[in-house]
Amino acid sequence: MPHDRPSARPRVAVVLRPDAREQLFGPEQWETLCRTGDVVAECADAGELLAHPRRAEAEVLLASWGAPLLTAGVLAHLPALRTVLYGAGSIRLLVTDACWERGLTVVSAAEANNGPVAEYVYAQTVLALKDVHRRSRRMAAERVLPGLDGVPGIHGQTVGLVSFGSIARMVAGHLRRLGTRVLAWDPYADEALFREAGAERVAGLPELVARSRVLSVHTPLVPGRTEGLVTGELLRGLPHGATLINTARGAVVDEEALIRVLGERPDLQAVLDVTAEEPPSPGSALYTLENVMLTGHVAGTVGSERRAIGALLVEELTRVAAGEPPLHAVSPEASLLRA
């Protein structure tokens, strides 16, 4: 049941760089936000917020990239704060235990970011199954028209998804429409999620890797648990001509082992939107290996896509103003399993 409607608009502190505000909100969205909430502070960074004379009034903090880490010290400046609307995906650089101890409601716009990531994976999967990455390099180097022998094509091919969260399930939906067979591994996901997505659940990572012509990594980086999850031994089990796609976090894959395996097996391809160090160090072999494509964190929302984040934030503020619970709140437990 919705809570009682508050008698006044919620007081909102906004922490957004000017360029971020323009990227996230069009004029109409911003007007709706200001009509829905009483914006008592509009700041470009954390320093401005903590020095603002009306900071103590803020009941809602709306922020995005560059937001302050919400430590107990920062929260002491925001005694009225009850809700955080975060216009980005991962909340790891935003929340601390002090947030949960205060009982804050923390909303992430990850769902608005997830669609573009899934579309990127879908597109790169199609290119991989058309052998575009390898053919393009060969044509440039040899000035030849490669034959079509060995190009697998899309229909009936097997794509493996490492973890089966929201993005992976979107990817599965895209690929099923192409007649692609989708496998997924996730020891924490409910069986019903696999059935609903039409994906075959695989019990172990080695089996998933060995069966996947394209292997896409979607595992969040959880310190001490998922670092180096995709090992060199697993990568050596990829079928001939397979492609690895990583849009999750670079450290989920053992990067040194990946470099060694790619050097040993020129038949493999790696499409890396994320790397352990961003950018990789100047001497990294990732720049020079012919079977690596680095795309520099472009899978998530960019350009006009970011307006979807702003729309989600406005919708959630509208719910808060109406005394209703947000749809995209993150629980303390769920925060531990996010990237």
Side-chain angles (χ1 to χ4, degrees):
M1 295 290 291
H3 305 299
D4 292 336
R5 178 184 289 273
S7 57
R9 295 180 298 158
R11 295 184 293 275
V12 182
V14 175
V15 180
L16 290 174
R17 301 188 311 263
D19 63 316
R21 173 181 156 176
E22 185 176 345
Q23 290 176 45
L24 296 179
F25 299 101
E28 291 184 6
Q29 284 181 321
W30 186 254
E31 182 181 341
T32 301
L33 185 152
C34 293
R35 189 170 58 246
T36 305
D38 178 12
V39 179
V40 297
E42 187 177 347
C43 308
D45 55 38
E48 285 189 20
L49 174 66
L50 298 183
H52 198 283
R54 299 188 67 182
R55 64 187 182 278
E57 301 177 41
E59 300 164 305
V60 177
L61 173 64
L62 187 151
S64 188
W65 310 285
L69 180 65
L70 297 178
T71 63
V74 169
L75 291 177
H77 289 267
L78 305 167
L81 186 65
R82 296 293 177 266
T83 304
V84 179
L85 304 178
Y86 188 51
S90 172
I91 63 171
R92 184 151 296 166
L93 298 179
L94 175 75
V95 301
T96 68
D97 289 342
C99 297
W100 309 125
E101 291 165 6
R102 168 81 76 88
L104 296 182
T105 297
V106 179
V107 169
S108 164
E111 198 67 21
N113 189 60
N114 290 351
V117 178
E119 289 158 2
Y120 170 99
V121 173
Y122 165 74
Q124 292 290 358
T125 299
V126 170
L127 293 176
L129 294 175
K130 291 282 193 178
D131 203 29
V132 167
H133 307 116
R134 190 188 338 266
R135 291 172 66 82
S136 176
R137 287 195 307 272
R138 185 178 174 194
M139 289 185 72
E142 301 178 16
R143 308 295 196 270
V144 297
L145 181 63
L148 297 178
D149 292 342
V151 178
I154 300 166
H155 300 286
Q157 297 298 329
T158 301
V159 177
L161 306 175
V162 183
S163 295
F164 206 52
S166 172
I167 297 173
R169 295 195 296 273
M170 290 180 187
V171 172
H174 290 319
L175 293 176
R176 284 181 57 229
R177 289 193 291 272
L178 297 180
T180 307
R181 186 177 187 184
V182 179
L183 312 178
W185 169 86
D186 192 322
Y188 303 103
D190 188 89
E191 187 68 39
L193 293 176
F194 295 87
R195 291 197 302 269
E196 291 167 5
E200 177 185 340
R201 185 171 201 167
V202 175
L205 263 179
E207 179 187 355
L208 180 77
V209 172
R211 295 175 61 187
S212 298
R213 185 63 188 247
V214 175
L215 183 73
S216 185
V217 180
H218 298 278
T219 305
L221 179 60
V222 181
R225 293 178 59 182
T226 63
E227 292 156 312
L229 174 72
V230 181
T231 64
E233 182 179 359
L234 284 171
L235 293 167
R236 287 187 177 88
L238 284 166
H240 182 85
T243 298
L244 171 75
I245 301 172
N246 189 6
T247 55
R249 288 291 184 267
V252 172
V253 178
D254 183 338
E255 197 165 275
E256 291 184 5
L258 172 64
I259 289 171
R260 288 194 297 272
V261 172
L262 291 173
E264 297 165 2
R265 291 194 49 189
D267 63 290
L268 299 180
Q269 302 289 312
V271 178
L272 307 177
D273 193 57
V274 292
T275 51
E277 182 182 354
E278 296 187 328
S281 62
S284 173
L286 294 176
Y287 292 119
T288 54
L289 282 166
E290 291 187 355
N291 48 352
V292 173
M293 173 183 283
L294 299 174
T295 62
H297 234 113
V298 76
T301 52
V302 295
S304 61
E305 297 166 351
R306 289 181 169 170
R307 292 289 170 89
I309 293 177
L312 184 148
L313 297 179
V314 171
E315 290 167 3
E316 292 289 57
L317 180 61
T318 300
R319 294 183 66 84
V320 171
E324 299 174 354
L327 297 176
H328 300 282
V330 181
S331 70
E333 297 75 22
S335 72
L336 299 176
L337 299 176
R338 286 176 172 251

